[in-house]
């Protein structure tokens, strides 16, 4: 997959320990410093790290001229549903419904863009790199946790109502409640979503998943340490609309 050169940016896999630390430093800036996370997340070394970093491959999106890291995310490649318990998401969601899933699976996590970077091409390059990897490795399911900033469900009510009405996952795959602090939006929200407000509040990463035909869990996990709420998100590659596949592959080409 790597490298992918597009316009002002290049996408590549982290190859060295300093590469991974650069990704962790950007994650710290995005998830801890820039999110209002609680002091529990603060580290003296300025890195946002966990045990899954050693299991994953890390993607770096950098400015070609300056080398500045503007975006990062990580991949956990799983042979199939039998390995789903090894995923980061399995800490928070009961994923037994995916245990019989046939085909390779890819967990995409820790996605973030530098808080000072505003170029929409960054997101396009990030998805182009992901698309190339998915195609080359014949991935059947892309999944992960998509986060809303803030832990109060009322701040995200229209977006969550939109997820309930249009984007809940298939019953056979729908994650069960596992985390101690969740908001069961599919059961509790009765409101009809305001489409405009919903899309304004929808996180960019989740919005892209949904445009690819993605689906979500029926509840959100509240993470007070990071000051977020997240929903499990899955994208079955064969279900991506043809026009969206064509666009993504054009970026990846």
């Amino acid at each position: 997959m790597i490298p992918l050169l597009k316009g002002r940016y290049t996408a590549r896999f982290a190859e060295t320990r300093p590469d991974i630390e650069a990704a962790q430093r950007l994650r710290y800036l995005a998830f801890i410093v820039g999110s209002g996370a609680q002091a529990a997340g603060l580290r003296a070394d300025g890195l946002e790290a966990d045990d899954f970093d050693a299991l994953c491959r890390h993607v770096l999106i950098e400015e070609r001229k300056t080398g500045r890291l503007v975006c990062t995310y990580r991949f956990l490649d799983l042979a199939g549903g039998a390995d789903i318990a090894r995923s980061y998401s399995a800490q928070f969601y009961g994923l037994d419904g995916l245990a019989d899933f046939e085909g390779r699976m890819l967990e995409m996590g820790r996605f973030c863009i530098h808080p000072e970077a505003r170029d929409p091409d960054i997101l396009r390059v990030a998805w182009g790199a992901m698309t190339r990897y998915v195609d080359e490795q014949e991935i059947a399911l892309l999944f992960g946790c998509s986060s809303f900033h803030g832990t109060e469900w009322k701040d995200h009510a229209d977006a969550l109502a939109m997820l309930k009405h249009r984007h809940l996952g298939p019953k056979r795959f729908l994650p069960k409640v596992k985390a101690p602090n969740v908001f069961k939006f599919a059961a509790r929200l009765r409101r009809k979503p305001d489409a405009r407000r919903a899309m304004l509040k929808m996180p960019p990463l989740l919005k892209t998943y949904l445009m690819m035909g993605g689906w979500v869990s029926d509840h959100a996990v509240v993470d007070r340490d990071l000051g977020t709420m997240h929903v499990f998100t899955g994208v079955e590659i064969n279900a991506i609309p043809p026009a969206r596949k064509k666009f993504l592959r054009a970026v990846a080409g």
Side-chain angles (χ1 to χ4, degrees):
M1 178 194 79
I2 303 298
L4 172 65
L5 304 176
K6 283 290 180 180
R8 297 170 52 198
Y9 304 101
T10 181
R12 66 180 179 90
F13 277 128
E15 298 175 350
T16 65
R17 182 63 208 169
D19 280 347
I20 294 175
E21 288 181 353
Q24 293 169 334
R25 196 170 296 112
L26 177 55
R27 284 159 35 182
Y28 185 89
L29 184 64
F31 298 143
I32 306 298
V33 176
S35 69
Q38 294 182 359
L42 300 178
R43 287 169 50 126
D45 59 8
L47 305 178
E48 195 282 319
D50 65 15
D51 292 341
F52 285 86
D53 282 332
L55 306 175
C56 295
R57 301 194 75 178
H58 302 260
V59 178
L60 311 178
I61 314 296
E62 299 165 318
E63 288 181 336
R64 296 176 66 177
K65 286 187 177 181
T66 66
R68 182 174 75 131
L69 181 63
V70 294
C71 176
T72 188
Y73 53 94
R74 69 188 184 189
F75 286 155
L76 181 63
D77 204 329
L78 303 175
D83 292 331
I84 193 71
R86 294 177 45 223
S87 68
Y88 174 87
S89 301
Q91 298 178 104
F92 307 102
Y93 300 92
L95 300 178
D96 291 347
L98 285 166
D100 294 328
F101 186 88
E102 295 183 2
R104 292 186 66 181
M105 310 168 79
L106 188 70
E107 183 175 40
M108 184 179 182
R110 287 303 196 265
F111 183 98
C112 63
I113 295 175
H114 195 291
E116 296 177 0
R118 298 287 187 267
D119 189 345
D121 279 347
I122 295 172
L123 186 60
R124 283 192 278 268
V125 171
W127 279 101
M130 179 278 299
T131 300
R132 182 179 289 186
Y133 187 88
V134 164
D135 281 347
E136 290 178 353
Q137 302 301 319
E138 299 182 339
I139 301 298
L141 178 72
L142 179 69
F143 71 96
C145 301
S146 299
S147 296
F148 292 82
H149 290 299
T151 58
E152 295 301 321
W153 69 266
K154 291 181 181 179
D155 294 335
H156 317 298
D158 284 294
L160 293 172
M162 181 71 76
L163 295 180
K164 170 186 176 177
H165 285 281
R166 298 187 183 179
H167 302 292
L168 290 185
K171 287 186 177 181
R172 67 186 186 280
F173 294 151
L174 207 60
K176 304 297 184 184
V177 173
K178 183 175 182 180
N181 192 356
V182 304
F183 176 64
K184 300 178 181 180
F185 62 86
R188 293 186 56 185
L189 288 181
R190 298 288 186 266
R191 67 191 294 163
K192 182 179 179 180
D194 180 293
R196 178 178 172 277
R197 286 201 299 263
M199 296 314 292
L200 286 173
K201 287 288 189 177
M202 203 74 73
L205 179 63
L206 178 55
K207 194 180 299 185
T208 305
Y209 275 128
L210 299 179
M211 287 191 294
M212 296 190 332
W215 49 264
V216 302
S217 54
D218 60 2
H219 63 283
V221 173
V222 179
D223 186 339
R224 298 201 180 280
D225 286 342
L226 289 181
T228 64
M229 300 177 69
H230 58 75
V231 292
F232 181 90
T233 311
V235 177
E236 295 169 71
I237 305 304
N238 286 340
I240 297 176
R244 179 55 50 174
K245 277 187 179 179
K246 182 177 180 180
F247 170 78
L248 290 169
R249 285 170 176 157
V251 177

